[in-house]
């Protein structure tokens, strides 16, 4: 087979069916579907008021009607976990959406203009990439006060260059394809070529990367909330719950920290695995 | 004598220290046909890219239909105006079509960009697939469902869609089987007769050039070493390089024009 034919086979394979996800991929997808459902309907699913404090039940273990027991303030843990899903996913969703749009736009501009534009943007990616996002988050939180919005902005600045770098390489390959040259000769505008032809061909790559990124985002934002730099207590949020459960953990009541931590890790792993499987299935690793 | 459609004067292209094209001049008359031959790396594609505005000449002048086209078009308006004069079909049939776009969508998009009303694009797209000898049902096919030869026909149809006055074919049949090559070359000759389109046919294969073009230039290391009427140059080459080229490309089993008698 010639190089061209191999390339063609790879491109055809991109459209292969979901059945190629594999057992692990399907499992990850199932976990994500459950999480998304809980994030959407957590309040309705919660058996109890997640914010109702009753010191009498502080750190009480499972009793009928309260399968996970209570936290240090006597709030129902299961309810807080279910309601906390939304807060734990809204941040990552905003973060991934912002970083994906920004990273994709910058990568396309770099790949399309090439020359010094590409050199400048690539250097910018490298510098920004080297700067730790958590440090930036601490800096911004000191300047503007701690909160989810500030944490999302800080991590967007950290995530954008890493997607930008990855996508730029792929976009360079795509913009070098002969169909792009042919469209230029046929008088298509730059915007038409990039938006209607190059971008759709990069979508499998972008989607897979965004899903993988979502996994990191749940952990990083959960971590920032844990440090008190993201979602603020008393909001029910997994990162906040991991932190809030820490003192009780030392006193021998690990349920809150363990349950919230498990949810965070499970979400991160599920998104990571699904993104990875999709990338492999579409031939865009 | 009519004014030439394409004039290239003293074209030069440098990539750093490398001189890819060195003082190349030629003309193509309306409805004429020029072959550019030379082995790989002799600068043929670079000449083609400069003509269609994908590369900027280091020096020299290009005129197409009386307009100065020496530098790549600024902005898409000028780009689309030039598109009406000159089109190109590339070598690789596997990357020259957007893999996500059906043949019909690809053809209709060219027509819409060129300003044809949406109500008329469907009929014109049908005419075009017919012109390149394909059945109408390919309009619904993605490139991945087509063979190399079929894709190249689509690329040719797309290049002809807006009725340009000249089409450059840069090694456009090189990747195809010999029998398919013959079919496509005959198709090109046929289309030229019907539409009066001019061709610039770039090839490392003398037999291909002989089949389609009236005049030929022979390039080596970026410069023209021999030029003249195709038959004369290929039958009685004066330059030793042309003689070498002729001997080094034996094509057993293929007589130009065979495979194509319809
Ligand atoms: N973008 C480029 N950058 C640097 N060198 C190039 C570039 N394009 C072509 N060349 C060089 O210019 C010479 C002519 O190439 P090309 O025009 O593609 O030849 P041909 O089409 O006759 O095979 C070759 O040596 C090639 O390596
Ligand atoms: Mg070439």
């Amino acid at each position: 087979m010639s190089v061209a034919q191999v390339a063609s086979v790879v491109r055809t394979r991109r459209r292969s069916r979901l059945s190629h996800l594999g057992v692990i991929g399907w499992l990850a997808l199932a976990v994500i579907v459950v999480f998304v459902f809980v994030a959407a309907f957590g309040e309705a699913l919660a058996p109890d008021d997640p914010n109702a404090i009753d010191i009498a039940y502080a750190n009480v273990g499972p009793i009928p009607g309260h399968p996970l027991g209570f936290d240090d303030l006597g709030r129902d843990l299961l309810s807080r976990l279910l309601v906390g899903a939304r807060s734990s996913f809204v941040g990552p969703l905003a973060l991934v959406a912002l970083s994906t749009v920004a990273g994709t736009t910058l990568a396309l501009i770099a790949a399309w203009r090439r020359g010094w534009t590409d050199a400048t943007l690539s250097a910018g990616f490298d510098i920004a990439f080297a700067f730790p996002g958590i440090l930036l988050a601490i800096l911004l939180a000191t300047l503007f006060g701690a909160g989810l919005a500030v944490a999302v902005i800080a991590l967007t600045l950290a995530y954008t260059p890493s997607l930008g770098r990855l996508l730029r390489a792929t976009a360079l390959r795509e913009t070098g394809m002969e169909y792009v040259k042919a469209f230029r000769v046929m008088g298509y505008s730059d915007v038409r070529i990039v938006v209607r032809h190059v971008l759709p061909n990069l979508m499998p790559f972008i989607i897979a990367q965004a899903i993988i990124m979502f996994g990191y985002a749940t952990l990083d934002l959960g971590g920032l909330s844990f440090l008190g730099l993201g979602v603020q207590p008393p909001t029910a949020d997994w990162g906040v719950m991991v932190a809030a459960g820490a003192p009780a953990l030392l006193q021998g009541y690990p349920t809150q920290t363990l349950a919230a931590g498990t949810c965070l890790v499970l979400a991160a792993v599920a998104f990571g695995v699904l993104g990875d499987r999709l990338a492999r299935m579409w031939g865009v690793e | 004598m009519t004014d030439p459609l394409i004039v290239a004067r003293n074209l030069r292209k440098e990539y750093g220290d490398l001189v890819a094209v060195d003082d190349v001049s030629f003309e193509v008359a309306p409805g004429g046909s020029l072959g550019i031959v030379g082995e790989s790396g002799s600068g043929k594609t670079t000449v083609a890219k400069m003509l269609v505005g994908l590369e900027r000449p280091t020096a020299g002048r290009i005129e197409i239909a009386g307009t100065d086209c020496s530098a790549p078009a600024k902005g898409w308006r000028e780009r689309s105006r030039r598109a009406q004069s000159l089109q190109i079909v590339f070598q690789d049939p596997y990357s020259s079509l957007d893999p996500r776009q059906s043949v019909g969508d690809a053809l209709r998009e060219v027509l819409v960009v060129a300003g044809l009303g949406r109500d008329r694009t469907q009929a014109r797209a049908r005419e075009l697939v017919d012109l390149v000898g394909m059945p109408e049902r390919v309009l619904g096919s993605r490139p991945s469902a087509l063979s190399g030869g079929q894709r190249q026909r689509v690329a040719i149809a797309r290049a002809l869609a807006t009725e340009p006055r000249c089409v450059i074919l840069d090694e456009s049949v090189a990747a195809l089987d010999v029998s398919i090559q013959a079919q496509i070359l005959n198709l090109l000759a046929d289309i030229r007769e019907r539409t009066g389109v001019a061709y610039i046919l770039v090839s490392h294969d003398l037999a291909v050039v002989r089949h389609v073009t009236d005049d030929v230039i022979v390039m080596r290391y970026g410069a023209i070493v021999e030029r003249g009427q195709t038959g004369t140059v290929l039958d009685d080459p004066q330059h030793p390089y042309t003689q070498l080229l002729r001997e080094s490309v034996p094509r057993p089993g293929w007589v130009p024009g065979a495979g194509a008698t319809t």
Side-chain angles (χ1 to χ4, degrees):
Chain A
M1 271 205 297
S2 73
V3 174
Q5 281 166 318
V6 173
S8 167
V9 170
V10 169
R11 294 185 149 253
T12 316
R13 204 170 285 162
R14 275 188 189 182
R15 277 192 299 278
S16 45
R17 296 257 178 73
L18 280 173
S19 59
H20 292 127
L21 274 182
V23 179
I24 305 284
W26 276 108
L27 219 59
L29 186 61
V31 169
I32 288 168
V33 167
V34 170
F35 275 149
V36 168
F37 183 80
V38 171
F41 304 109
E43 267 146 50
L45 295 171
D48 209 348
D49 178 352
N51 295 314
I53 295 174
D54 188 343
I55 297 297
Y57 286 94
N59 288 329
V60 169
I63 56 170
H66 302 273
L68 287 180
F70 301 84
D71 70 2
D72 53 331
L73 295 176
R75 296 173 293 197
D76 178 51
L77 265 181
L78 178 64
S79 298
R80 285 186 71 70
L81 220 48
L82 291 172
V83 173
R86 183 175 305 165
S87 153
S88 307
F89 286 138
V90 162
L93 194 66
L95 170 53
V96 167
L98 289 172
S99 317
T100 303
V101 170
T104 302
T105 307
L106 292 175
L108 284 175
I109 290 172
W112 186 254
R113 300 297 301 268
R114 301 185 178 223
W116 67 266
T117 312
D118 180 32
T120 311
L121 283 171
S122 296
F125 289 157
D126 289 344
I127 293 167
F129 185 73
F131 199 85
I134 303 285
L135 205 62
L136 194 67
I138 294 172
L139 204 72
L140 290 189
T142 334
L143 289 174
F144 303 108
L148 184 61
V150 173
V152 165
I153 289 167
L155 287 182
T156 298
L157 293 176
Y159 280 24
T160 300
S162 64
L163 176 72
R165 254 170 32 147
L166 275 178
L167 186 60
R168 170 190 163 271
T170 312
L172 269 179
R173 215 174 311 128
E174 197 68 31
T175 53
M177 300 284 283
E178 283 186 341
Y179 78 80
V180 172
K181 292 187 196 120
F183 287 157
R184 284 172 61 186
V185 177
M186 286 186 300
Y188 291 14
S189 68
D190 289 3
V191 172
R192 173 184 285 268
I193 299 174
V194 172
V195 173
R196 298 179 64 146
H197 297 281
V198 175
L199 182 60
N201 278 303
L202 294 173
M203 273 329 264
F205 182 88
I206 294 170
I207 290 169
Q209 287 306 321
I211 291 173
I212 293 172
M213 195 194 275
F214 201 102
Y216 287 109
T218 49
L219 274 193
D220 281 351
L221 277 174
L224 285 178
S225 298
F226 171 81
L227 293 174
L229 297 171
V231 179
Q232 298 298 308
T235 310
D237 173 274
W238 296 346
V240 170
M241 287 172 71
V242 172
L249 180 74
L250 298 178
Q251 295 158 24
Y253 306 108
T255 324
Q256 172 163 224
T257 294
L258 274 186
T262 306
C263 286
L264 271 179
V265 170
L266 202 58
V269 170
F271 279 103
V273 166
L274 181 69
D276 184 65
R277 288 291 153 144
L278 286 175
R280 259 192 248 176
M281 189 176 95
W282 290 328
V284 294
E285 293 119 294
Chain B
M1 234 190 93
T2 52
D3 286 339
L5 176 62
I6 293 177
V7 181
R9 284 259 171 282
N10 312 110
L11 282 183
R12 182 179 177 85
K13 178 70 187 181
E14 296 167 9
Y15 291 111
D17 288 340
L18 177 87
V19 180
V21 173
D22 182 12
D23 198 23
V24 165
S25 304
F26 56 82
E27 293 182 357
V28 180
S33 60
L34 174 74
I36 305 181
V37 297
E39 51 185 358
S40 175
S42 55
K44 309 181 297 293
T45 295
T46 307
V47 169
K49 282 186 175 167
M50 289 192 285
L51 289 177
V52 295
L54 288 173
E55 290 281 359
R56 178 186 296 273
T58 310
R61 186 175 166 81
I62 298 166
E63 260 176 48
I64 300 171
T67 323
D68 180 16
C69 295
S70 304
K74 287 195 195 68
W76 70 271
R77 273 172 203 288
E78 199 191 336
R79 214 190 257 175
S80 75
R81 198 165 48 241
R82 287 193 198 176
Q84 316 287 314
S85 310
L86 184 61
Q87 279 302 321
I88 188 164
V89 177
F90 291 105
Q91 167 168 12
D92 180 5
Y94 292 93
S95 76
S96 60
L97 303 173
D98 179 348
R100 296 182 62 264
Q101 210 175 23
S102 74
V103 172
D105 287 345
L107 294 176
R108 282 190 293 270
E109 187 173 13
V110 192
L111 296 166
V112 167
V113 169
L116 195 72
R118 275 176 199 278
D119 49 323
R120 288 170 49 210
T121 57
Q122 185 60 29
R124 177 78 179 130
R126 271 197 228 111
E127 269 173 43
L128 284 165
V129 290
D130 186 53
L131 182 67
V132 296
M134 300 181 86
E136 263 179 37
R137 64 183 149 74
V138 301
L139 285 170
S141 304
R142 295 275 188 107
S144 56
L146 305 178
S147 69
Q150 289 174 315
R151 290 180 201 210
Q152 225 41 329
R153 283 173 195 257
V154 173
I156 292 168
R158 188 177 61 178
L160 291 167
T162 56
E163 302 185 321
R165 307 205 36 209
C166 181
V167 174
I168 302 177
L169 298 128
D170 184 3
E171 304 271 13
S172 302
V173 296
L176 308 176
D177 289 347
V178 170
S179 66
I180 310 285
Q181 285 192 6
Q183 281 176 19
I184 294 205
L185 293 176
N186 281 290
L187 174 74
L188 291 174
D190 182 48
I191 291 173
R192 184 176 165 209
E193 219 157 84
R194 279 203 264 166
T195 63
V197 66
Y199 290 131
I200 296 177
L201 198 129
V202 175
S203 183
H204 62 276
D205 184 341
L206 301 190
V208 165
V209 166
R210 180 198 291 272
H211 197 52
V212 183
T213 64
D214 303 334
D215 297 301
V216 68
I217 57 180
V218 182
M219 288 183 67
R220 184 189 196 189
Y221 302 143
I224 296 178
V225 295
E226 186 164 4
R227 66 198 314 153
Q229 290 191 324
T230 307
T232 316
V233 171
L234 300 192
D235 288 338
D236 185 18
Q238 300 301 304
H239 196 281
Y241 177 68
T242 315
Q243 292 165 3
L244 201 72
L245 267 185
R246 197 173 70 153
E247 279 147 29
S248 65
V249 194
R251 300 299 300 268
W254 186 49
V255 183
T261 42
T262 37

